[in-house]
Amino acid sequence: MTVTVANPLAEQVYNRLKDDIFNFRLLPGDNFTETEMAQRQGVSRTPLRDALFRLQREGYLEVGFRRGWKVCAIDFDRLDNLYDLRIVLEMAALDKLCQQQEPATGLEALNAIWLVAPEARETDAVRVAEFDEAFHTNLVAAAGNEEMTRVHTEVTEKIRIVRRLDFLKKKRIEATYEEHAKILQLVAKRRATEAQILLRAHITQSKLEVRKITIWMLAEARQEQEPEALQAQR
């Protein structure tokens, strides 16, 4: 069987462009040509095109005949649907975990991160976002259904653009630690219904928070761009 190895340069360009989109340096609605972007990235068009079409497949960019590339608008209805699917998958995982006779493999590592004293908690927003994603991903994986884990991983990738914003506020970090710890404790006691109720509320609140922050950050980014655009026209 032939194994396709990703072009390392295309991978670098992909990661830089995705970071620009995630951090609103490339805003929804922004247009650019391949020539412009190749010059900006300092690469030839071949690795650039590989990166652009990958981002198109993932729903971050669109391309039009003779119109160049455009950053897709953030589709909040689609994100809401993905969050709802995530809730369904994670609630099913909790049900399976609470039916198991022995503690699932992998939960010990989650306990070591989330069942800690307040002074031992991580405070860096980027690290907490990584821990949070790993918590939910590993919770589903611990249930032992590979197809459920695969779909959940795909959902996680699609909502990452906004989900990481949930930890810009200290109170959200504190709430995440408290709620994750409680969910793990309820799973250990095989109290599936209570764990599911808490999980649903936990994810729903996160969805509401990231929507508010995303709208605010987009407005801020557009305001910062306006003076630059006016200056460029002079």
Side-chain angles (χ1 to χ4, degrees):
M1 185 178 74
T2 302
V3 177
T4 302
V5 180
N7 183 323
L9 185 55
E11 183 74 16
Q12 292 175 23
V13 175
Y14 164 82
N15 287 323
R16 289 200 297 264
L17 287 172
K18 196 169 187 180
D19 188 62
D20 284 343
I21 294 171
F22 277 24
N23 289 289
F24 305 117
R25 290 186 289 270
L26 281 173
L27 292 174
D30 281 356
N31 292 280
F32 59 87
T33 67
E34 290 181 11
T35 301
E36 292 170 343
M37 189 56 70
Q39 291 175 346
R40 190 187 306 180
Q41 294 291 329
V43 297
S44 68
R45 291 178 64 176
T46 298
L48 175 69
R49 286 174 65 85
D50 288 347
L52 293 176
F53 280 112
R54 182 174 171 187
L55 289 165
Q56 181 195 30
R57 290 192 297 272
E58 294 176 0
Y60 297 114
L61 295 176
E62 59 185 46
V63 62
F65 181 64
R66 294 181 178 174
R67 292 190 294 107
W69 292 83
K70 181 178 180 180
V71 181
C72 293
I74 295 178
D75 187 342
F76 286 106
D77 288 338
R78 178 172 178 264
L79 287 171
D80 284 348
N81 290 337
L82 289 168
Y83 267 91
D84 290 344
L85 175 56
R86 180 184 157 203
I87 289 172
V88 170
L89 293 169
E90 293 189 28
M91 289 182 69
L94 286 180
D95 188 58
K96 289 178 67 67
L97 288 170
C98 289
Q99 291 180 30
Q100 295 177 1
Q101 297 299 315
E102 299 294 330
T105 302
L107 293 185
E108 299 90 344
L110 296 182
N111 290 336
I113 293 173
W114 298 102
L115 297 177
V116 296
E119 59 271 18
R121 294 173 179 174
E122 178 62 64
T123 58
D124 178 73
V126 174
R127 291 287 290 157
V128 175
E130 293 172 353
F131 286 169
D132 173 71
E133 185 173 301
F135 170 83
H136 292 276
T137 299
N138 291 331
L139 198 67
V140 173
N145 186 315
E146 293 183 1
E147 285 303 302
M148 187 186 297
T149 302
R150 179 186 61 79
V151 174
H152 185 271
T153 299
E154 292 174 359
V155 171
T156 296
E157 170 64 24
K158 290 173 182 176
I159 66 175
R160 188 176 292 140
I161 188 171
V162 295
R163 177 178 175 176
R164 76 204 192 288
L165 301 176
D166 193 23
F167 305 103
L168 297 180
K169 298 179 181 178
K170 182 180 178 182
K171 67 177 183 179
R172 288 298 302 153
I173 293 177
E174 294 172 350
T176 297
Y177 266 95
E178 296 294 337
E179 291 163 9
H180 283 188
K182 185 64 174 177
I183 289 168
L184 289 170
Q185 291 165 345
L186 290 170
V187 169
K189 296 175 182 177
R190 306 294 190 270
R191 290 156 63 176
T193 300
E194 293 173 68
Q196 289 172 326
I197 291 172
L198 178 56
L199 178 83
R200 179 186 288 275
H202 170 71
I203 297 176
T204 300
Q205 184 61 39
S206 176
K207 177 176 69 173
L208 295 174
E209 288 290 331
V210 299
R211 178 185 279 245
K212 289 190 296 184
I213 295 171
T214 300
I215 292 172
W216 174 78
M217 289 186 70
L218 276 171
E220 288 284 302
R222 291 196 188 283
Q223 286 182 353
E224 290 177 3
Q225 271 197 354
E226 286 176 2
E228 296 176 4
L230 290 173
Q231 186 68 30
Q233 293 173 5
R234 292 175 183 174

